[in-house]
Amino acid sequence: MGRAKVVVVGGGFGGVYAARRLARADADVTLLDRTTTSLFQPLLYQCATGLLSEGQITTPLRSLMRRHRNVRVVLGEACDLDATARVLTARRPDETTFDLPYDHLVVAAGMRQSYLGHPEFAVHAPGMKTIDDALAIRRRVMAAFEMAETLPDPEDRAEWLTFAVAGGGPTGVELAGQIREFALHAIEHEYRQIDPTEARVLLFDGGDRVLKAFGHNLTTKAQEALDRLGVETVFGVHVTDVDDRGIVTTAKRPGPDGRREQRRYAARTVLWTAGVEAVPFLQTVAKETGVTQDRQGRIPVEPDLTVAGHPEIRVVGDVMSLDGLPGIAEVAMQSGRHAGEDVRRILVGQPPRTFRYRDLGNAAYISRRHALLEKGPVRLDGFVGWLLWGAIHIAFLAGVHNRFTTLLSWATALAANRRGERVYPVGDPTTAERPYTEEYVRER
């Protein structure tokens, strides 16, 4: 009969933790991903703003798996599935395809940026999900200050020195705060015609406060920190239009005259962190297994993370829908670990187990020396929260080299107000976004 074949789709937290649990199991494991590296997404915004390099927040998948002789890493994007024949089809970078038969399948494909029904916004407002996104944002942020330096008209300069961020969750707050810190500390004395500290950062959200996943007390302190930093927050609005000169917002609620107020903000740099959705492959998984995706495109799973009627298929991380669990790194790690361990158990004749998530709390960076940390009744902010936030992120970074260099970059930025990753890529400013955008628009 031969050894069992296990295919793991996705090289993020969920996929890597699943594959590691299957190391040295009596199975041939294939880890499939459309990139060659595993991305530490919680620090992606620091790559986008020049604090960290892409190499510090990524680790080659082959390096992660080099000691696991039964794990094979394959470059490709999952594009089709035959759940009856148990064959997954993947697309190579040159658009040719190949098949991967499996006895067990772990789907950890991850989410992508959602533009809430307006995929055309992606052309003018890059999201924050991939390394390409981060490098595109870095180019736009750096270019904005360079453009303003050479413009004689104050109104033109003001447009280039205005940054609009859509989405008041952790990513939006962290990105907005980093742009202000970059202007206030890293480049404050480097320009001659402009004052970078005058850069405006506008943060838009449809709710009534930032970081709604945290308790009210902590979000109030987060708002106070953003106010001190100079981030301007606008609540109760939806972004309803985006172009190369700014954005239009529409109030969620009508005014006294029954109309929803619309307002235009001139901003040459618009960044989007307002929503996520499942990758297209999840539609195929849903169709083949006969389940219904939720509003974000996630796949509902049983308590043991299998898909109903298909005990050989497990869905983990951001793309699983179970008990309202959030799409955060810790859920992906724990569910991936559980799926890998359960496959090991089944291979030796043991029954699967119910997945039990251990909530380790929430953490969010606001500004230098200020972060939030919440775990049950424990709520920390300010300097202590910042220290613990840093310790947690360093602990989860893969590799001693990445941990050491990240600590060094943070120390340099804090002590000397320097950011070492400020390379300005020459070329088409939409190059990094175009493959994603064109595909996304075609699907709509």
Side-chain angles (χ1 to χ4, degrees):
M1 185 175 177
R3 282 159 61 96
K5 295 181 174 62
V6 183
V7 174
V8 180
V9 179
F13 291 123
V16 166
Y17 274 69
R20 279 178 162 174
R21 278 291 176 177
L22 288 161
R24 293 180 295 279
D26 187 21
D28 294 320
V29 182
T30 299
L31 176 59
L32 174 75
D33 195 80
R34 64 191 185 95
T35 71
T36 60
T37 58
S38 182
L39 170 65
F40 191 77
Q41 205 169 73
L43 292 179
L44 192 60
Y45 68 96
Q46 295 199 3
C47 175
T49 52
L51 184 53
L52 299 177
S53 72
E54 56 270 33
Q56 290 170 295
I57 61 171
T58 58
T59 305
L61 288 170
R62 296 188 184 279
S63 295
L64 287 174
M65 301 298 160
R66 67 182 181 274
R67 296 180 181 176
H68 307 321
R69 305 303 299 175
N70 67 321
V71 180
R72 175 192 179 204
V73 176
V74 175
L75 179 66
E77 183 171 9
C79 60
D80 202 0
L81 176 70
D82 187 334
T84 302
R86 298 191 180 184
V87 175
L88 180 141
T89 301
R91 184 186 299 113
R92 300 185 182 92
D94 67 353
E95 300 297 322
T96 60
T97 61
F98 60 98
D99 292 336
L100 293 171
Y102 65 87
D103 297 300
H104 296 274
L105 175 65
V106 179
V107 179
M111 305 289 273
R112 66 178 182 181
Q113 200 72 62
S114 170
Y115 287 87
L116 309 178
H118 293 278
E120 68 276 9
F121 288 179
V123 176
H124 304 294
M128 179 65 77
K129 297 296 289 183
T130 68
I131 284 293
D132 282 351
D133 292 335
L135 296 179
I137 289 173
R138 185 194 296 176
R139 178 188 171 95
R140 290 183 181 223
V141 171
M142 305 297 178
F145 291 100
E146 299 300 332
M147 286 292 298
E149 175 75 358
T150 63
L151 292 171
D153 183 18
E155 291 188 7
D156 290 340
R157 289 200 302 268
E159 284 189 14
W160 281 102
L161 292 177
T162 301
F163 303 83
V165 180
T171 302
V173 167
E174 291 164 342
L175 184 57
Q178 281 294 305
I179 294 173
R180 273 296 292 172
E181 284 196 357
F182 179 72
L184 289 174
H185 304 295
I187 60 173
E188 180 184 6
H189 303 296
E190 294 186 1
Y191 291 83
R192 302 296 176 259
Q193 303 301 317
I194 62 171
D195 181 359
T197 64
E198 294 179 358
R200 296 179 66 197
V201 179
L202 310 175
L203 181 63
F204 300 91
D205 192 79
D208 59 356
R209 59 194 175 102
V210 295
L211 301 172
K212 292 182 285 292
F214 290 82
H216 278 272
N217 183 50
L218 284 182
T219 58
T220 298
K221 292 181 178 180
Q223 183 64 57
E224 292 171 353
L226 289 172
D227 292 341
R228 289 194 298 271
L229 193 59
V231 175
E232 304 173 38
T233 50
V234 182
F235 297 116
V237 298
H238 291 308
V239 176
T240 50
D241 196 16
V242 180
D243 58 34
D244 60 348
R245 301 295 294 267
I247 68 172
V248 175
T249 63
T250 302
K252 289 180 62 176
R253 297 179 180 178
D257 59 357
R259 298 181 179 180
R260 299 180 189 271
E261 180 187 5
Q262 286 193 332
R263 182 174 176 183
R264 180 173 179 82
Y265 295 83
R268 287 287 193 160
T269 305
V270 181
L271 309 175
W272 192 275
T273 67
V276 294
E277 65 182 13
V279 295
F281 177 64
L282 268 293
Q283 298 176 9
T284 302
V285 174
K287 180 180 178 181
E288 282 291 306
T289 57
V291 300
T292 301
Q293 296 171 271
D294 68 8
R295 291 180 59 185
Q296 290 182 309
R298 298 177 299 178
I299 300 293
V301 296
E302 300 294 293
D304 63 354
L305 306 184
T306 60
V307 178
H310 291 270
E312 78 283 0
I313 299 178
R314 288 166 173 77
V315 180
V316 303
D318 296 1
V319 294
M320 74 175 186
S321 177
L322 177 67
D323 299 332
L325 290 176
I328 58 177
E330 190 54 44
V331 172
M333 294 175 189
Q334 292 185 33
S335 61
R337 186 186 301 120
H338 178 93
E341 183 61 31
D342 256 14
V343 172
R344 284 180 66 104
R345 291 171 60 86
I346 290 171
L347 292 176
V348 297
Q350 297 179 355
R353 305 155 304 150
T354 296
F355 173 62
R356 301 189 185 282
Y357 173 62
R358 182 185 177 192
D359 186 1
L360 299 182
N362 294 323
Y365 179 96
I366 308 299
S367 61
R368 53 171 54 197
R369 300 186 181 90
H370 195 114
L372 306 182
L373 193 67
E374 184 176 58
K375 172 63 171 75
V378 178
R379 293 176 173 84
L380 301 173
D381 73 301
F383 184 71
V384 175
W386 177 74
L387 286 177
L388 290 175
W389 170 90
I392 291 169
H393 283 71
I394 288 296
F396 282 121
L397 267 175
V400 174
H401 177 268
N402 283 3
R403 293 170 186 167
F404 175 77
T405 57
T406 296
L407 275 174
L408 184 61
S409 295
W410 285 350
T412 301
L414 191 64
N417 291 330
R418 293 184 59 190
R419 299 196 177 209
E421 301 302 325
R422 289 167 55 183
V423 174
Y424 181 89
V426 176
D428 185 345
T430 62
T431 297
E433 302 142 40
R434 184 176 295 141
Y436 168 86
T437 303
E438 290 183 351
E439 173 193 0
Y440 191 80
V441 173
R442 283 199 304 269
E443 291 166 4
R444 291 301 185 271

